[in-house]
Amino acid sequence: MINYIWFFLIFISIVVSVLNGNINVINESIIKDAEEAVKFAISLIGIMSIWMGLINIAEKSGLIKSFSKILTPITSFLFPEVPKNHPAMSAIVMNMVTNMFGAGNSATAIGIKAMEEMNTLNKNKKRSTNAMCMFLVINMSSIQIVPLTILKIRADAGSVNPTEIIGTSLVATTVSTIVGIIAVKILQGKGD
Amino acid sequence: MINISGIINIISISIIPFIMTIILIHGYIKRVDLYECFVDGAKEGLKSAIKIMPYLIAIFLAIGVFRKSGAMDILVKVLSPIGKIVGIPKETIPLFVIRPISGSASLAMVQDIINNYGPDSFIGRVASTMMGSAETIFYTMAVYFGAVGVKDSRHTLPAALISHLAGAVASVIICRLIFL
């Protein structure tokens, strides 16, 4: 699917830019956006290395195993294909926790670790498993306890009460997460 | 309210150092070779970051040209009627459309909405709630699936979009209930 989306995004953009007479934006984009992507990936190296390093310690010490045992009831419902004591489980849970607190790139690093662990259980490496789909949808609709960026924007704009949207965001994300989980369970069908 | 948010802020700042401390102390007690383990793991981190670079380039390029060419504006116009049907205020529909596609564009859009309508207006609160409760779907998928080289994402995108719509509608409803 991403194949079609990617093609159409670029194809339509070229057509529109020709019709709008601003074809030069394509040239600009090729230079600037590629550079942005490289800069971003490089800026991830540090934080990813730190978290992968810390997780490796937690794995070797057995901390991750004991941590995932506590959460087994929830995680085995969401990820029935992942064995209870698999390292993927703890990375999944750690990602959820860090995500909730808006840890940004730290959460991403841990999440990638979770994906790599889930991929060890994957039979067809080109195709995502049910667990991966579930994990990503929960990740994207993640319950946000502190949306820091938006709080800052509100405070800068002179809001009387910048934090008043914490409660509403919490409700909205809870709804989106629950709907996301249901959608995944329905859409995954019989496959794998 | 200020007290609660103060506490939440403290938790948010200290969650990472807290997790770090637990990991290190537990590893030390269990006599794990901390330094070596860390470096071994960090090597994996380096590999992962490099591995996702091509996927990021592909997504940044597609989204960049889509925004700059004006195609995104057309998409917003096309999708606006759907937003109206489900009750999303028309001022926040562009934000709803762009949020899954581009993080920086949606941030700029929230800033714009808040500047125009004020942070404490109904529209401003709905926009803040929507922004705080959604994620950049395309970017996230590129990074996570890119890291493991999965090409077929199956039902991830449709499910994520359904969840995004549910979150947006919930944002509007909860803001109506609390702020109106």
Side-chain angles (χ1 to χ4, degrees), chain A residues 124-136:
Chain A
N124 179 355
K125 302 283 181 210
K126 295 210 156 162
R127 203 162 172 267
S128 75
T129 60
N130 284 343
M132 287 175 176
C133 300
M134 179 60 87
F135 171 65
L136 275 199

Side-chain angles (χ1 to χ4, degrees), chain B residues 125-154:
Chain B
R125 284 159 166 164
V126 170
S128 307
T129 304
M130 253 189 216
M131 184 70 192
S133 62
E135 182 59 79
T136 317
I137 295 172
F138 286 91
Y139 151 80
T140 309
M141 283 178 63
V143 169
Y144 283 66
F145 281 132
V148 289
V150 163
K151 306 226 159 40
D152 178 5
S153 62
R154 292 172 65 217

Side-chain angles (χ1 to χ4, degrees), chain A:
Chain A
M1 192 192 255
I2 189 77
N3 191 32
Y4 299 112
I5 294 173
W6 194 75
F7 168 73
F8 280 111
L9 281 175
I10 293 180
F11 179 72
I12 291 169
S13 306
I14 292 174
V15 172
V16 171
S17 69
V18 169
L19 293 177
N20 282 349
N22 60 350
I23 186 98
N24 210 37
V25 295
I26 306 291
N27 297 318
E28 271 169 39
S29 219
I30 285 173
I31 298 164
K32 281 192 190 145
D33 293 316
E35 194 188 319
E36 290 267 306
V38 173
K39 270 190 201 156
F40 183 73
I42 288 176
S43 73
L44 270 180
I45 290 176
I47 191 129
M48 293 230 348
S49 297
I50 288 174
W51 279 106
M52 298 282 186
L54 288 172
I55 290 170
N56 199 30
I57 293 172
E59 241 176 74
K60 295 268 153 59
S61 72
L63 179 65
I64 279 183
K65 255 189 193 153
S66 25
F67 187 53
S68 21
K69 261 186 205 150
I70 306 167
L71 293 143
T72 304
I74 309 166
T75 48
S76 58
F77 164 72
L78 293 171
F79 308 97
E81 324 144 43
V82 182
K84 277 175 197 163
N85 284 327
H86 198 272
M89 226 32 141
S90 35
I92 290 170
V93 173
M94 274 178 80
N95 168 266
M96 286 180 188
V97 174
T98 45
N99 227 351
M100 277 184 196
F101 289 94
N105 290 344
S106 293
T108 306
I110 299 166
I112 286 172
K113 175 78 180 165
M115 287 297 275
E116 285 169 351
E117 290 294 348
M118 277 186 271
N119 208 31
T120 62
L121 301 166
N122 192 358
K123 287 178 199 122
N124 179 355
K125 302 283 181 210
K126 295 210 156 162
R127 203 162 172 267
S128 75
T129 60
N130 284 343
M132 287 175 176
C133 300
M134 179 60 87
F135 171 65
L136 275 199
V137 171
I138 294 175
N139 182 294
M140 291 185 275
S141 64
S142 144
I143 295 176
Q144 274 274 302
I145 294 178
V146 200
L148 281 179
T149 328
I150 197 74
L151 292 186
K152 190 179 179 306
I153 292 177
R154 292 176 58 78
D156 290 349
S159 168
V160 179
N161 189 358
T163 52
E164 68 185 354
I165 55 102
I166 288 180
T168 53
S169 300
L170 202 60
V171 173
T173 49
T174 307
V175 171
S176 69
T177 305
I178 292 171
V179 171
I181 290 170
I182 296 170
V184 172
K185 288 274 183 195
I186 292 172
L187 291 173
Q188 72 187 23
K190 326 175 230 33
D192 301 333

